[in-house]
Short mmCIF file of all heavy atoms in Angstrom, two decimals:
data_model
loop_
_atom_site.label_atom_id
_atom_site.label_comp_id
_atom_site.label_asym_id
_atom_site.label_seq_id
_atom_site.Cartn_x
_atom_site.Cartn_y
_atom_site.Cartn_z
N ALA A 1 62.58 -198.65 -36.53
CA ALA A 1 62.00 -197.77 -35.52
C ALA A 1 62.94 -196.63 -35.15
O ALA A 1 62.51 -195.63 -34.57
CB ALA A 1 61.63 -198.57 -34.27
N GLU A 2 64.23 -196.75 -35.50
CA GLU A 2 65.21 -195.73 -35.14
C GLU A 2 65.35 -194.65 -36.22
O GLU A 2 66.17 -193.74 -36.08
CB GLU A 2 66.58 -196.36 -34.89
CG GLU A 2 66.66 -197.28 -33.67
CD GLU A 2 66.02 -198.62 -33.91
OE1 GLU A 2 65.95 -199.04 -35.09
OE2 GLU A 2 65.57 -199.24 -32.94
N PHE A 3 64.56 -194.73 -37.27
CA PHE A 3 64.69 -193.80 -38.38
C PHE A 3 64.01 -192.48 -38.06
O PHE A 3 62.87 -192.44 -37.61
CB PHE A 3 64.06 -194.41 -39.64
CG PHE A 3 64.11 -193.53 -40.86
CD1 PHE A 3 65.32 -193.18 -41.43
CD2 PHE A 3 62.95 -193.07 -41.44
CE1 PHE A 3 65.36 -192.39 -42.57
CE2 PHE A 3 62.97 -192.27 -42.57
CZ PHE A 3 64.19 -191.93 -43.13
N GLU A 4 64.72 -191.36 -38.29
CA GLU A 4 64.17 -190.02 -38.08
C GLU A 4 64.45 -189.17 -39.32
O GLU A 4 65.60 -188.89 -39.63
CB GLU A 4 64.78 -189.36 -36.84
CG GLU A 4 64.46 -190.07 -35.54
CD GLU A 4 65.05 -189.35 -34.33
OE1 GLU A 4 65.77 -188.34 -34.54
OE2 GLU A 4 64.82 -189.80 -33.21
N LEU A 5 63.40 -188.76 -39.99
CA LEU A 5 63.53 -187.92 -41.18
C LEU A 5 63.01 -186.53 -40.89
O LEU A 5 61.90 -186.37 -40.37
CB LEU A 5 62.74 -188.52 -42.35
CG LEU A 5 62.60 -187.63 -43.59
CD1 LEU A 5 63.95 -187.42 -44.26
CD2 LEU A 5 61.58 -188.21 -44.57
N THR A 6 63.81 -185.53 -41.21
CA THR A 6 63.37 -184.14 -41.17
C THR A 6 63.59 -183.54 -42.54
O THR A 6 64.72 -183.42 -43.01
CB THR A 6 64.15 -183.33 -40.12
OG1 THR A 6 63.97 -183.93 -38.83
CG2 THR A 6 63.65 -181.90 -40.08
N ALA A 7 62.50 -183.20 -43.22
CA ALA A 7 62.56 -182.54 -44.53
C ALA A 7 61.92 -181.17 -44.39
O ALA A 7 60.69 -181.05 -44.35
CB ALA A 7 61.85 -183.38 -45.58
N GLU A 8 62.74 -180.14 -44.27
CA GLU A 8 62.27 -178.78 -44.00
C GLU A 8 62.91 -177.78 -44.95
O GLU A 8 64.04 -177.97 -45.41
CB GLU A 8 62.62 -178.38 -42.56
CG GLU A 8 61.89 -179.16 -41.48
CD GLU A 8 62.24 -178.67 -40.09
OE1 GLU A 8 63.35 -178.12 -39.90
OE2 GLU A 8 61.41 -178.85 -39.19
N ASN A 9 62.17 -176.71 -45.21
CA ASN A 9 62.67 -175.58 -45.99
C ASN A 9 63.20 -176.00 -47.36
O ASN A 9 64.26 -175.57 -47.80
CB ASN A 9 63.77 -174.84 -45.22
CG ASN A 9 63.19 -173.79 -44.29
OD1 ASN A 9 62.04 -173.38 -44.43
ND2 ASN A 9 63.99 -173.35 -43.34
N ASN A 10 62.45 -176.87 -48.03
CA ASN A 10 62.75 -177.24 -49.41
C ASN A 10 61.75 -176.57 -50.35
O ASN A 10 60.58 -176.39 -50.00
CB ASN A 10 62.67 -178.76 -49.59
CG ASN A 10 63.67 -179.49 -48.72
OD1 ASN A 10 64.86 -179.49 -48.99
ND2 ASN A 10 63.18 -180.11 -47.64
N ILE A 11 62.22 -176.20 -51.53
CA ILE A 11 61.38 -175.57 -52.54
C ILE A 11 61.20 -176.54 -53.70
O ILE A 11 62.17 -177.05 -54.25
CB ILE A 11 62.00 -174.26 -53.05
CG1 ILE A 11 62.08 -173.24 -51.92
CG2 ILE A 11 61.19 -173.70 -54.23
CD1 ILE A 11 62.85 -171.98 -52.28
N MET A 12 59.94 -176.82 -54.06
CA MET A 12 59.64 -177.71 -55.16
C MET A 12 58.74 -176.99 -56.15
O MET A 12 57.65 -176.53 -55.78
CB MET A 12 58.97 -178.98 -54.63
CG MET A 12 59.89 -179.88 -53.83
SD MET A 12 59.04 -180.98 -52.66
CE MET A 12 58.95 -179.94 -51.20
N VAL A 13 59.18 -176.86 -57.39
CA VAL A 13 58.40 -176.17 -58.42
C VAL A 13 58.36 -177.02 -59.69
O VAL A 13 59.30 -177.76 -59.99
CB VAL A 13 58.97 -174.76 -58.74
CG1 VAL A 13 58.89 -173.86 -57.53
CG2 VAL A 13 60.40 -174.85 -59.23
N ASN A 14 57.24 -176.90 -60.40
CA ASN A 14 57.06 -177.63 -61.66
C ASN A 14 57.40 -179.11 -61.50
O ASN A 14 58.13 -179.69 -62.31
CB ASN A 14 57.90 -177.01 -62.78
CG ASN A 14 57.51 -177.53 -64.15
OD1 ASN A 14 56.36 -177.88 -64.38
ND2 ASN A 14 58.48 -177.60 -65.06
N SER A 15 56.90 -179.71 -60.44
CA SER A 15 57.26 -181.08 -60.11
C SER A 15 56.04 -181.84 -59.59
O SER A 15 55.01 -181.25 -59.29
CB SER A 15 58.38 -181.10 -59.05
OG SER A 15 59.55 -180.49 -59.53
N GLY A 16 56.19 -183.16 -59.49
CA GLY A 16 55.15 -184.01 -58.95
C GLY A 16 54.75 -185.11 -59.92
O GLY A 16 55.00 -185.02 -61.13
N ASP A 17 54.14 -186.17 -59.38
CA ASP A 17 53.69 -187.26 -60.24
C ASP A 17 52.35 -186.89 -60.87
O ASP A 17 51.88 -185.76 -60.78
CB ASP A 17 53.63 -188.57 -59.45
CG ASP A 17 52.52 -188.61 -58.42
OD1 ASP A 17 51.80 -187.59 -58.26
OD2 ASP A 17 52.35 -189.65 -57.76
N SER A 18 51.72 -187.86 -61.54
CA SER A 18 50.48 -187.58 -62.27
C SER A 18 49.34 -187.16 -61.36
O SER A 18 48.38 -186.52 -61.80
CB SER A 18 50.07 -188.81 -63.09
OG SER A 18 49.89 -189.94 -62.24
N ASP A 19 49.44 -187.50 -60.06
CA ASP A 19 48.42 -187.08 -59.08
C ASP A 19 48.81 -185.81 -58.34
O ASP A 19 48.08 -185.37 -57.45
CB ASP A 19 48.18 -188.20 -58.07
CG ASP A 19 47.56 -189.44 -58.70
OD1 ASP A 19 46.73 -189.28 -59.61
OD2 ASP A 19 47.93 -190.56 -58.29
N GLY A 20 49.96 -185.26 -58.69
CA GLY A 20 50.41 -184.04 -58.02
C GLY A 20 51.18 -184.29 -56.74
O GLY A 20 51.56 -183.34 -56.05
N GLU A 21 51.41 -185.55 -56.39
CA GLU A 21 52.13 -185.86 -55.15
C GLU A 21 53.61 -185.52 -55.27
O GLU A 21 54.24 -185.77 -56.31
CB GLU A 21 51.97 -187.33 -54.79
CG GLU A 21 50.56 -187.70 -54.37
CD GLU A 21 50.41 -189.18 -54.08
OE1 GLU A 21 51.39 -189.94 -54.27
OE2 GLU A 21 49.30 -189.58 -53.66
N LEU A 22 54.17 -185.01 -54.17
CA LEU A 22 55.59 -184.65 -54.12
C LEU A 22 56.35 -185.43 -53.07
O LEU A 22 57.59 -185.43 -53.09
CB LEU A 22 55.72 -183.15 -53.84
CG LEU A 22 55.32 -182.27 -55.02
CD1 LEU A 22 54.84 -180.91 -54.54
CD2 LEU A 22 56.46 -182.12 -56.00
N PHE A 23 55.64 -186.08 -52.18
CA PHE A 23 56.29 -186.90 -51.13
C PHE A 23 55.48 -188.14 -50.89
O PHE A 23 54.26 -188.11 -50.79
CB PHE A 23 56.40 -186.11 -49.82
CG PHE A 23 57.00 -186.91 -48.68
CD1 PHE A 23 58.35 -186.87 -48.43
CD2 PHE A 23 56.19 -187.71 -47.88
CE1 PHE A 23 58.91 -187.62 -47.39
CE2 PHE A 23 56.73 -188.46 -46.84
CZ PHE A 23 58.10 -188.42 -46.61
N LYS A 24 56.21 -189.28 -50.75
CA LYS A 24 55.56 -190.52 -50.33
C LYS A 24 56.58 -191.37 -49.59
O LYS A 24 57.73 -191.47 -49.99
CB LYS A 24 55.01 -191.31 -51.51
CG LYS A 24 54.25 -192.56 -51.06
CD LYS A 24 53.63 -193.31 -52.23
CE LYS A 24 52.85 -194.53 -51.73
NZ LYS A 24 52.22 -195.28 -52.83
N ALA A 25 56.13 -191.98 -48.50
CA ALA A 25 56.95 -192.92 -47.73
C ALA A 25 56.17 -194.19 -47.50
O ALA A 25 54.93 -194.17 -47.44
CB ALA A 25 57.37 -192.31 -46.39
N GLU A 26 56.88 -195.30 -47.38
CA GLU A 26 56.24 -196.51 -46.93
C GLU A 26 55.80 -196.30 -45.48
O GLU A 26 56.25 -195.38 -44.80
CB GLU A 26 57.20 -197.69 -47.03
CG GLU A 26 57.66 -197.98 -48.45
CD GLU A 26 56.52 -198.30 -49.39
OE1 GLU A 26 55.57 -198.97 -48.97
OE2 GLU A 26 56.57 -197.85 -50.55
N SER A 27 54.90 -197.14 -44.99
CA SER A 27 54.41 -196.99 -43.62
C SER A 27 55.58 -197.11 -42.65
O SER A 27 56.28 -198.12 -42.62
CB SER A 27 53.36 -198.05 -43.32
OG SER A 27 52.26 -197.89 -44.17
N LEU A 28 55.79 -196.06 -41.85
CA LEU A 28 56.90 -196.06 -40.91
C LEU A 28 56.47 -196.75 -39.61
O LEU A 28 55.35 -196.54 -39.13
CB LEU A 28 57.36 -194.63 -40.61
CG LEU A 28 57.90 -193.84 -41.79
CD1 LEU A 28 58.43 -192.49 -41.33
CD2 LEU A 28 58.99 -194.60 -42.53
N PRO A 29 57.35 -197.54 -39.01
CA PRO A 29 56.98 -198.27 -37.79
C PRO A 29 56.91 -197.35 -36.58
O PRO A 29 57.43 -196.22 -36.60
CB PRO A 29 58.13 -199.28 -37.64
CG PRO A 29 59.29 -198.61 -38.28
CD PRO A 29 58.73 -197.84 -39.44
N GLU A 30 56.29 -197.81 -35.52
CA GLU A 30 56.20 -197.04 -34.28
C GLU A 30 57.61 -196.75 -33.76
O GLU A 30 58.48 -197.61 -33.75
CB GLU A 30 55.42 -197.82 -33.23
CG GLU A 30 55.19 -197.06 -31.94
CD GLU A 30 54.35 -197.84 -30.95
OE1 GLU A 30 53.85 -198.93 -31.32
OE2 GLU A 30 54.18 -197.35 -29.81
#
């Protein structure tokens, strides 16, 4: 519950999985 992620101002090109996804996280707790 103490985890804080900030992912800002990143550039992603010619990338991604077969579905086009570029970000995935497990379910984060409250």
Side-chain angles (χ1 to χ4, degrees):
E2 294 76 25
F3 179 65
E4 296 182 357
L5 171 67
T6 301
E8 294 182 333
N9 274 343
N10 299 286
I11 296 172
M12 290 157 272
V13 297
N14 193 30
S15 297
D17 70 357
S18 58
D19 295 323
E21 291 177 356
L22 289 153
F23 177 93
K24 184 177 181 179
E26 298 301 322
S27 298
L28 298 185
E30 184 177 354

